[in-house]
Amino acid sequence: MHLESYPEGAVPQAFRHQIHALQNQAWPSDPAPSDPAPSDPAPSDPAPPGDALVHDPTLQPLSLILVDDGVVVAALDILRKPLHHAGNTFQAGGLSTVVTRRHLRGRGYGRHLVTAARTAMIDLHLDLGIFTCDRVLQPFYGSAGWQPLPGTVLIGGTPDDPFPSDQPGFDKVTLAAFFTPAAREAAPKFHHARIPLHPGHIDKLW
Ligand SMILES: CC(C)(COP(=O)(O)OP(=O)(O)OC[C@H]1O[C@@H](n2cnc3c(N)ncnc32)[C@H](O)[C@@H]1OP(=O)(O)O)[C@@H](O)C(=O)NCCC(=O)NCCS
């Protein structure tokens, strides 16, 4: 078992097919209500339809992939953009499309990957990592060193078409890690704040 990382556009085709299949399994685009839960895709399964890039290239997506003997066990993407908050501009990263192969969940692979993502963000010279997740997953990310920001809302979408993480029907928390001295100093200002992330229309919220 080992980690590999690539800009999303450079992920080898064999891995890309597997990752998209895992993503389609975790987030089916149009599931019929009576559909049974799909079984784990085999590495040799054909590529799902629309096997194109998932993320907005302007967010410089970097894929982190946990691989065991050619099989993708878990994967995520780090997205990046400047973030204006508290009178400063920070280089911010976020986690997106975090997924573990279904029959291998609960073995620590997801935690290993989201822990490695923190180190990867430091290597990318980001000031901080910040993202939202469903409240039930807060302990999962917390156990990997991501700290919850109490009362903080990330505002996705665009300034003209905002997509806040506290909209009706969402139950999300915001998690963060502060890497650089400037970010650590500003950390208290990220609590109980509404933060304009605005990653655009493709990755509306991370
Ligand atoms: C979330 C996910 C990536 C976790 O991967 P994993 O490899 O199973 O994670 P780990 O084995 O490292 O689990 C670590 C801990 O998180 C907990 N956890 C994992 N998924 C959870 C969930 N959906 N709800 C509550 N707790 C969860 C595990 O129980 C475990 O806790 P423990 O150490 O106290 O037993 C995986 O469940 C998954 O792919 N889910 C579907 C896609 C998804 O929801 N992604 C997150 C998008 S923000």
Side-chain angles (χ1 to χ4, degrees):
M1 185 93 55
H2 65 279
L3 261 179
E4 299 194 21
S5 82
Y6 306 88
E8 187 194 15
V11 173
Q13 198 69 352
F15 289 162
R16 185 185 298 179
H17 290 175
Q18 292 186 56
I19 293 167
H20 287 183
L22 297 184
Q23 291 172 349
N24 287 341
Q25 185 191 46
W27 300 283
S29 47
D30 189 16
S34 57
D35 276 356
S39 56
D40 266 341
S44 55
D45 276 359
D51 196 22
L53 300 184
V54 168
H55 299 290
D56 182 341
T58 66
L59 302 174
Q60 304 175 70
L62 180 76
S63 301
L64 248 57
I65 312 168
L66 199 55
V67 180
D68 187 22
D69 200 16
V71 175
V72 174
V73 170
L76 61 74
D77 295 298
I78 295 174
L79 305 179
R80 290 172 266 174
K81 77 178 294 293
L83 170 62
H84 311 289
H85 181 64
N88 215 332
T89 299
F90 300 97
Q91 297 305 318
L95 302 187
S96 181
T97 41
V98 181
V99 66
T100 298
R101 189 172 282 276
R102 182 174 290 163
H103 79 272
L104 296 176
R105 289 180 192 167
R107 301 184 189 189
Y109 298 135
R111 180 184 291 129
H112 180 69
L113 199 59
V114 300
T115 303
R118 259 187 321 114
T119 309
M121 285 188 194
I122 294 168
D123 293 343
L124 290 167
H125 305 294
L126 297 179
D127 292 305
L128 58 96
I130 190 165
F131 61 97
T132 60
C133 74
D134 290 342
R135 189 173 302 279
V136 290
L137 287 174
Q138 180 182 321
F140 164 66
Y141 288 106
S143 72
W146 293 96
Q147 66 178 86
L149 297 180
T152 293
V153 172
L154 276 193
I155 305 179
T158 65
D160 292 339
D161 188 15
F163 193 79
S165 63
D166 64 346
Q167 61 191 271
F170 277 13
D171 186 17
K172 297 209 178 273
V173 293
T174 303
L175 294 136
F178 299 92
F179 306 129
T180 57
R184 276 198 291 273
E185 193 181 322
K189 295 182 180 158
F190 282 78
H191 292 196
H192 300 286
R194 297 185 73 82
I195 298 175
L197 179 66
H198 294 321
H201 289 297
I202 298 174
D203 298 281
K204 279 177 114 172
L205 185 65
W206 74 46

